[in-house]
């Protein structure tokens, strides 16, 4: 993913935008390289789909590709689509706003940014997905999955193009004690690249993989990819439309 750097200018590489609300982001040690960011935004121009990637589903203007991971038996996903009703900067602001996310994302049980012994990270406990009840959970002892991760946002100027990139990965080094009855997801990564579609909308690229452990049935994996991702993008558009009034009420 680390590529030759060219045409890169106009970003502040010392700041990590982790705004938990409408305020400015906090500063922490960098967790990602310039190459990591370029590897994400270049997918907007030239999707990297060699090496076993296959088109999994196309729906609502969204194409979802997947790559089988031999080691885990799970799939990594790449998503390409357009959000027609919101700008990329607004999408990035909404995506980064943890407090606001708790208002519109129904899968959030707990979500906050915290300093864990000098290491800033995000704690996220996810509610059971729609098809599952507590009794049917595929996770041990009916537990919810829990994520502890770091992320970084950069607002880039690439030869005059404005591109917003957000990277995230699980943070095993974070001193966050595991809660009883909650399953820690220790292998997680996500990248998001956003750019104007030339009108009032946003071109979106997303790369995603996580391994929550346990035996995950194929039907649940397929449901999450086919319904969960397009549903998330739809919810994002609605959240973007309501963000201004949310910020005014704070």
């Amino acid at each position: 993913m680390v590529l030759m750097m060219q045409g890169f200018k106009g970003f502040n590489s010392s700041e990590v935008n982790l705004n938990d609300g409408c305020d400015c982001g906090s500063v922490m040690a960098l967790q990602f390289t310039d190459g990591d960011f370029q590897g994400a935004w270049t997918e907007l121009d030239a999707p990297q789909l060699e090496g076993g990637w296959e088109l999994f589903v196309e729906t609502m203007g969204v194409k979802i590709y997947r790559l089988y991971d031999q080691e885990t038996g799970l799939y990594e996903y790449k998503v390409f689509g357009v959000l027609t009703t919101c700008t990329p900067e607004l999408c990035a602001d909404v995506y980064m706003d943890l407090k606001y996310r708790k208002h519109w994302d129904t899968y959030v049980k707990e979500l906050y940014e915290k300093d864990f012994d000098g290491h800033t990270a995000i704690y996220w406990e996810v509610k059971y997905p729609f098809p599952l009840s507590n009794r049917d959970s595929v996770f041990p002892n009916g537990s919810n999955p829990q994520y502890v991760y770091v992320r970084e946002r950069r607002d880039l100027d690439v030869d005059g193009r404005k591109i917003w990139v957000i990277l995230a990965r699980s943070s095993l080094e974070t001193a966050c004690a595991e809660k009883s009855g909650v399953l820690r997801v220790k292998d997680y990564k996500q990248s998001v690249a956003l750019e104007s579609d030339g009108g009032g909308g946003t071109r979106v690229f997303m790369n995603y993989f996580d391994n929550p452990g346990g035996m995950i049935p194929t039907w649940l994996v397929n449901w999450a990819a086919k319904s969960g991702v397009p549903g998330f993008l739809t919810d994002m558009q609605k959240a973007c439309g309501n963000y201004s009034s949310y910020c005014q009420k704070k």
Side-chain angles (χ1 to χ4, degrees), residues 12-124:
N12 182 349
S13 62
S14 67
E15 213 169 78
V16 179
N17 191 338
L18 279 168
N19 53 305
D20 188 9
C22 303
D23 302 323
C24 296
S26 54
V27 177
M28 57 178 283
L30 294 179
Q31 304 289 339
F32 306 94
T33 69
D34 292 347
D36 293 332
F37 282 89
Q38 188 176 23
W41 69 256
T42 52
E43 295 262 7
L44 290 169
D45 296 333
Q48 302 299 303
L49 300 172
E50 300 81 11
W53 287 94
E54 61 179 8
L55 180 62
F56 178 51
V57 66
E58 183 173 0
T59 179
M60 299 169 56
V62 176
K63 289 185 177 180
I64 303 174
Y65 294 83
R66 67 181 184 180
L67 177 68
Y68 185 72
D69 184 82
Q70 296 283 350
E71 183 177 347
T72 63
L74 300 172
Y75 285 95
E76 179 178 351
Y77 293 93
K78 289 185 177 182
V79 181
F80 302 86
V82 175
L83 300 180
T84 59
T85 62
C86 44
T87 66
E89 184 173 13
L90 176 59
C91 288
D93 289 344
V94 169
Y95 191 87
M96 294 292 290
D97 192 328
L98 301 182
K99 289 183 179 178
Y100 183 48
R101 182 129 189 186
K102 290 185 280 189
H103 286 263
W104 64 267
D105 190 336
T106 57
Y107 294 132
V108 172
K109 183 172 183 180
E110 276 191 75
L111 177 60
Y112 55 85
E113 183 184 18
K114 183 179 178 180
D115 184 278
F116 296 93
D117 293 336
H119 186 92
T120 303
I122 297 168
Y123 175 91
W124 189 335

Side-chain angles (χ1 to χ4, degrees), residues 162-193:
K162 303 296 184 182
I163 304 176
W164 289 257
V165 179
I166 303 165
L167 304 181
R169 66 164 178 82
S170 52
S171 180
L172 299 180
E173 64 271 25
T174 300
C176 175
E178 297 190 27
K179 292 170 58 177
S180 176
V182 176
L183 177 69
R184 176 72 59 86
V185 177
K186 298 181 179 179
D187 188 6
Y188 160 75
K189 68 175 183 178
Q190 185 174 39
S191 59
V192 179

